[in-house]
Amino acid sequence: MLRRRGTSSLLNAVDAASGRGRFRLSSSTQTRLLQNVDDSSQGVADGGSMRHPIFGRYGSNFYSTVGDPVLIPAPEVPLAWRKFPASGHVFEEEAHVGNVKFSFETGKLARFAAGAVVVGVGETKVLVTVVADHKLDSSRDFLPLQVEYREKQYAQGKIPATFMRREGAPKERELLCGRLIDRSVRPLFPRGFFYDSQIIANVLCSDGEQDPDVLAVNAASAALMISDIPWKGPIGCVRIGRVKGKFIVNPNMDELALSDLNLVYACTMEKTVMIETQAREITNQDYVAALHLAHAEATKLIPPQLALAAKVSVQKRPLPVLTVPPEVLDKVRSLAQFAIESVMGNPEFGKFERGQTLGKIEEEVKNILVVEGDEISAKLLPYAFDAVKKEVLRRNIFEKGMRVDGRGLNQVRELQCEAGTYSALHGSSLFSRGNTQVLCTVTMGAPDDAQRLDSLVGIDRKRFMVHYSFPPFSINEVGRTGGLNRREVGHGTLAEKALVALLPPEEDFPYSVRVTSECLASDGSSSMATVCGGSLALMDAGIPLRSHVGAVSVGLVSVSDPETGRVTDYRILTDILGLEDHLGDMDFKIAGTRMGITAIQLDIKPAGVPLHILCEALEPALVGRTKILDFMEQVISSPRDSSRENLPRSGTMNIQQDSIGRLIGPQGSNVKNIQRVTDARVSITGDGVVTIFARDQASFDQAKKMVEASVGKEVEVGGTYTARVVAIKDFGAFMELNGGYQGLLHISEIAHERIERVSDYLSVGQELGVVCIGRDLRGNLKLSRKMTLPPPVPQVAEPAVPEATSPGSKTKQDLTES
């Protein structure tokens, strides 16, 4: 620009801008500007480059009011925090678990991620990447971990069927798989790691044999191991199934479809970190055996991850341990312990009264610290106050065997429930346990109402759905509503797994069923209350469940060796409160019948729980579940009568294939009109089976009459119908019945007497009554007219005339002739 316009053009532009009031330059600034322009122009004239262009990216000297700029010295090249393989090469490790081989590889894909690992079984490959921010928000006191799991359609060679031909928002399955990863890895992050972190799992390809969710958990563990993120792994994750009483490690999808157990188990070498289970009433003894098998197999996936991390030679970033100084903890304890004990030891405090009172105590302690000028203690007060609350709660449990609401360790809260809360609904119930309350409703629909799934593996539709809602008013808070919430989807799916095992087979009960759970008040175990309320509502709807399903959540408080982490003492709590969940060590949700377990979910806070404690917790859970089932059966013990008028009705009828077009009508107009008028669903198969699904009996009857009017009533053997002659042949006549059915009236079935010619009795277009007497080998109707006629009157024989014995006598024939 300077070479094109010259210095005078620049000055004219500056003067013009100054005149317009944009900015004004002092005389000294203009002098420095001219000097810079002269120097730059001279550099160009000498063949050099412009080091300081006036306009453009390097305009720092334009506004400079000081002398020479201060240059920041070039930093030294930092040491590499991990070792990359050469381009095109990868680090690989393998492990055989069950009958499959797991492969771990890194270095080929996503090399800029903090950690990136591809785990494969067969032709199913999952890439998981991990990244954590290096800047820390000083006001944050939690781990902001995002976990995303995606199954894109290219993994199975398909183009998405959406309008934009792109994947949309995460589906329910993707949210659930993301939660599976999150619950497995989150407990192993060190306390105080509050950096923004993200784990992304992407299914690269799928052969349909293995569910990628287990692969993604192991890949996430391996990716964290080779990253610079501090983490207390690795973990191994396997799936256990059972077919015909035999356990199968990592079953394929065909085996899983036949299995009565679907157990996903994640662990470290010594402790369990995550459990997710769906079963068909498996006993505690069999489930304990499955857990031990799962632990033995999952630990086989840990050595290859350690070997992979050793090859990468990663350097973990330093992280100061988050601990409250003893002097701060002692000071807060001396100020607040007595007040906290008076609240935590008084069962008359309710959930919100207890929380508000503890909040006031913390505020008073903070005011004292501020007056004293103890800034460090005031800053660490939330951590110290929480630690004192935990100490008081655990001391009461260990020393007194008493919980915050006054219950014993194995005591279930007060139960209240009712079925048929709203008679206008197909089914409804209200279930309360302590202060936790849920309203469950049941809606029955047509088979077409089943949820359609678009997953890489598994079924493509499901007819039973449980949708859980957790509105903010249930905990006395103001919050946002709407959209898919990971927690709500997870709780609803857990209840769905617990209840679906008791549903009758689809061929015996061809309905789609939706259960909704509205959490009206929550103080712990609202998902388990959903299982109980859902069972009551299903019974109220007349759905033939084999038995009720009960559920309870079991907690744990434990004492561990600070150096080894080994648990030295513990107590198991039945039916935990929200506060016990927050200050305790685990939330072990167990649902089932009297016969066995149908669903389990384990969430923990410490870095693992010993397996023997979990196995021990199954027994108090069974005792608590039995008490709940006893109470539920007092309200409703068997499904109600399904003949109630407001319940849906379904039925089938057969029509001739040549009547299908008449029922459908031009461009579907007739069947659409039937559905519009009756509000029923009418589906027709190619072989003439018509299925009618209606919201009640009246709607069903109306739809059936309209279908029969369109095609005619189904012709049954032995039924009498009106038919019209459409063609006459030597051997009989072809007849057409109402609805378009055609049949043959054989000449022998026209009249009782013998007929020589059909046309002597029938004419085309004539209508007469006929009886259906059967079908021939081809399925054609056989008709009879003579069966509608009165039977012939037998002729009375005249007295016989004796033959003449003399020449003058005559026979009967002779008399007649004469």
Side-chain angles (χ1 to χ4, degrees):
M1 180 168 156
L2 294 179
R3 283 179 288 182
R4 292 196 305 268
R5 297 185 178 181
T7 306
S8 60
S9 298
L10 174 61
L11 293 179
N12 292 335
V14 171
D15 291 339
S18 301
R20 288 193 297 267
R22 292 184 180 179
F23 58 86
R24 296 183 181 276
L25 300 180
S26 63
S27 58
S28 59
T29 304
Q30 292 186 24
T31 302
R32 287 195 301 273
L33 174 61
L34 290 174
Q35 182 65 37
N36 288 337
V37 172
D38 292 340
D39 293 344
S40 300
S41 301
Q42 184 65 32
V44 174
D46 293 342
S49 61
M50 292 179 60
R51 299 189 58 184
H52 303 290
I54 302 303
F55 300 100
R57 296 178 60 191
Y58 307 105
S60 60
N61 284 344
F62 187 89
Y63 295 102
S64 176
T65 58
V66 295
D68 295 334
V70 178
L71 299 178
I72 299 176
E76 297 181 358
V77 178
L79 296 176
W81 57 270
R82 70 177 172 191
K83 177 182 178 183
F84 269 128
S87 179
H89 294 78
V90 297
F91 291 140
E92 294 180 313
E93 290 293 333
E94 294 180 352
H96 290 268
V97 180
N99 295 324
V100 301
K101 180 179 71 174
F102 281 76
S103 63
F104 296 80
E105 66 176 45
T106 187
K108 184 177 182 180
L109 304 180
R111 294 165 69 96
F112 275 3
V117 172
V118 176
V119 172
V121 171
E123 293 301 321
T124 299
K125 310 287 184 181
V126 181
L127 167 67
V128 173
T129 59
V130 299
V131 175
D133 202 342
H134 286 265
K135 295 181 180 180
L136 179 63
D137 184 351
S138 58
S139 63
R140 184 180 295 142
D141 59 353
F142 64 95
L143 170 61
L145 174 63
Q146 304 176 51
V147 181
E148 304 292 338
Y149 172 94
R150 298 307 300 266
E151 293 180 343
K152 297 186 178 179
Q153 291 298 301
Y154 69 75
Q156 57 181 350
K158 293 182 180 180
I159 296 176
T162 60
F163 178 78
M164 297 296 294
R165 295 299 185 266
R166 299 173 64 93
E167 284 79 12
K171 299 182 285 291
E172 282 191 12
R173 170 178 161 79
E174 293 173 317
L175 295 179
L176 294 171
C177 292
R179 276 176 53 88
L180 196 73
I181 300 171
D182 187 303
R183 291 166 42 222
S184 299
V185 303
R186 184 180 289 270
L188 299 178
F189 279 90
R191 187 184 181 192
F193 188 82
F194 300 148
Y195 296 86
D196 273 310
S197 305
Q198 188 175 51
I199 300 175
I200 298 179
N202 199 4
V203 181
L204 301 178
C205 53
S206 172
D207 57 10
E209 291 294 321
Q210 286 284 326
D211 195 323
D213 57 354
V214 170
L215 279 64
V217 175
N218 288 290
S221 171
L224 286 168
M225 287 300 296
I226 68 169
S227 72
D228 65 333
I229 301 172
W231 190 64
K232 302 175 184 178
I235 62 172
C237 182
V238 296
R239 171 175 273 108
I240 302 294
R242 188 176 69 168
V243 178
K244 296 181 179 180
K246 182 180 179 180
F247 290 120
I248 302 175
V249 181
N250 289 322
N252 58 38
M253 298 309 299
D254 292 335
E255 293 170 333
L256 197 59
L258 302 174
S259 175
D260 62 358
L261 173 67
N262 185 355
L263 164 63
V264 180
Y265 180 89
C267 65
T268 63
M269 288 298 294
E270 297 179 350
K271 296 181 179 180
T272 305
V273 294
M274 191 280 303
I275 295 177
E276 186 80 21
T277 301
Q278 180 179 356
R280 298 176 190 163
E281 297 180 286
I282 185 172
T283 64
N284 283 3
Q285 293 77 10
D286 290 345
Y287 190 71
V288 168
L291 289 177
H292 283 93
L293 174 62
H295 189 90
E297 295 294 329
T299 52
K300 295 179 181 178
L301 292 165
I302 293 178
Q305 298 181 49
L306 294 173
L308 196 69
K311 290 181 178 180
V312 173
S313 302
V314 66
Q315 298 294 323
K316 296 291 185 179
R317 67 175 72 170
L319 179 70
V321 179
L322 178 61
T323 58
V324 179
E327 58 274 14
V328 175
L329 185 59
D330 291 339
K331 187 170 186 178
V332 173
R333 186 185 293 116
S334 63
L335 292 173
Q337 180 172 323
F338 177 77
I340 293 175
E341 287 177 345
S342 64
V343 175
M344 304 285 276
N346 188 347
E348 294 183 3
F349 279 93
K351 174 179 180 178
F352 294 106
E353 294 80 7
R354 184 185 304 113
Q356 292 172 358
T357 305
L358 290 173
K360 292 179 181 178
I361 295 172
E362 183 176 359
E363 189 65 27
E364 291 175 2
V365 173
K366 182 178 181 179
N367 293 335
I368 294 174
L369 296 176
V370 171
V371 170
E372 294 180 354
D374 192 346
E375 297 181 0
I376 296 178
S377 297
K379 185 176 182 180
L380 296 177
L381 177 61
Y383 305 103
F385 194 84
D386 198 57
V388 176
K389 285 194 301 182
K390 186 176 295 188
E391 289 176 356
V392 172
L393 179 139
R394 293 173 181 245
R395 187 185 309 112
N396 289 339
I397 291 175
F398 278 104
E399 297 179 0
K400 303 177 183 178
M402 185 183 69
R403 299 158 71 172
V404 291
D405 58 355
R407 284 182 295 147
L409 303 187
N410 295 328
Q411 186 176 353
V412 178
R413 286 174 287 176
E414 179 185 3
L415 299 171
Q416 293 180 354
C417 56
E418 60 184 45
T421 306
Y422 301 104
S423 58
L425 304 177
H426 294 168
S428 60
S429 70
L430 189 65
F431 181 87
S432 300
R433 180 166 51 211
N435 290 324
T436 297
Q437 182 187 62
V438 297
L439 171 67
C440 290
T441 65
V442 170
T443 306
M444 299 166 60
D448 292 342
D449 290 324
Q451 181 180 358
R452 302 192 180 278
L453 307 176
D454 190 16
S455 303
L456 298 182
V457 294
I459 58 176
D460 58 358
R461 60 183 289 273
K462 65 176 182 178
R463 66 185 180 109
F464 181 66
M465 301 152 280
V466 177
H467 295 156
Y468 168 94
S469 177
F470 191 85
F473 67 77
S474 64
I475 52 175
N476 196 26
E477 289 184 359
V478 177
R480 299 176 63 90
T481 60
L484 279 179
N485 179 282
R486 291 175 182 264
R487 180 179 179 275
E488 292 180 337
V489 171
H491 280 14
T493 302
L494 177 61
E496 183 180 299
K497 292 177 179 179
L499 294 168
V500 71
L502 279 299
L503 285 181
E506 187 171 3
E507 55 269 18
D508 298 335
F509 188 76
Y511 296 94
S512 297
V513 180
R514 180 191 185 218
V515 177
T516 64
S517 173
E518 303 286 346
C519 184
L520 305 180
S522 177
D523 190 12
S525 301
S526 58
S527 61
M528 298 294 91
T530 296
V531 175
C532 301
S535 181
L536 291 166
L538 290 169
M539 287 274 192
D540 179 60
I543 297 176
L545 295 185
R546 296 200 307 272
S547 65
H548 268 308
V549 183
V552 69
S553 186
V554 178
L556 173 73
V557 292
S558 61
V559 178
S560 302
D561 188 307
E563 296 183 359
T564 64
R566 182 175 175 271
V567 175
T568 58
D569 197 6
Y570 62 91
R571 296 291 186 274
I572 296 174
L573 312 178
T574 302
D575 186 20
I576 58 175
L577 297 171
L579 182 63
E580 293 169 335
D581 182 12
H582 172 68
L583 299 179
D585 295 335
M586 78 173 183
D587 184 5
F588 197 19
K589 305 180 183 73
I590 306 173
T593 65
R594 298 180 189 275
M595 301 294 294
I597 297 167
T598 58
I600 281 182
Q601 187 178 96
L602 171 67
D603 294 321
I604 63 171
K605 293 180 177 60
V609 173
L611 181 56
H612 71 89
I613 295 180
L614 299 176
C615 296
E616 182 182 340
L618 295 175
E619 291 305 317
L622 176 59
V623 174
R625 186 168 77 237
T626 303
K627 292 180 180 178
I628 296 170
L629 290 171
D630 291 340
F631 192 86
M632 293 168 59
E633 290 175 355
Q634 294 176 13
V635 176
I636 180 171
S637 59
S638 61
R640 296 194 194 278
D641 185 6
S642 60
S643 62
R644 288 184 297 167
E645 289 296 325
N646 69 326
L647 292 181
R649 293 288 182 270
S650 68
T652 60
M653 55 188 299
N654 296 317
I655 63 174
Q656 294 294 317
Q657 293 187 13
D658 54 5
S659 301
I660 295 177
R662 189 162 48 257
L663 174 59
I664 295 175
Q667 298 181 344
S669 60
N670 189 52
V671 71
K672 289 178 181 177
N673 180 63
I674 295 174
Q675 294 182 136
R676 179 183 59 81
V677 172
T678 65
D679 196 22
R681 303 276 187 91
V682 180
S683 61
I684 309 159
T685 62
D687 55 356
V689 178
V690 179
T691 301
I692 302 175
F693 183 92
R695 54 186 172 82
D696 52 33
Q697 186 66 49
S699 176
F700 178 84
D701 293 340
Q702 185 182 11
K704 185 177 180 181
K705 288 180 181 179
M706 294 185 70
V707 170
E708 290 175 347
S710 300
V711 302
K713 191 174 181 180
E714 174 68 15
V715 178
E716 300 177 353
V717 176
T720 302
Y721 306 94
T722 299
R724 182 172 59 87
V725 179
V726 295
I728 294 177
K729 304 295 181 181
D730 293 339
F731 51 84
F734 287 106
M735 313 293 291
E736 184 178 88
L737 286 71
N738 291 338
Y741 297 101
Q742 292 189 352
L744 174 64
L745 177 61
H746 194 265
I747 189 172
S748 63
E749 296 292 337
I750 296 177
H752 292 291
E753 64 272 15
R754 182 179 176 81
I755 295 176
E756 295 295 335
R757 291 189 305 176
V758 177
S759 58
D760 292 342
Y761 284 77
L762 304 176
S763 60
V764 175
Q766 180 183 355
E767 292 186 353
L768 63 155
V770 294
V771 175
C772 177
I773 59 176
R775 296 179 182 270
D776 60 18
L777 296 178
R778 297 183 179 180
N780 299 317
L781 296 175
K782 296 192 298 183
L783 307 175
S784 172
R785 175 177 177 263
K786 69 181 182 182
M787 293 185 67
T788 65
L789 302 175
V793 179
Q795 296 182 358
V796 179
E798 298 182 8
V801 179
E803 295 182 359
T805 57
S806 61
S809 64
K810 295 184 179 181
T811 64
K812 179 181 179 181
Q813 182 177 359
D814 294 336
L815 292 174
T816 304
E817 290 176 354
S818 63

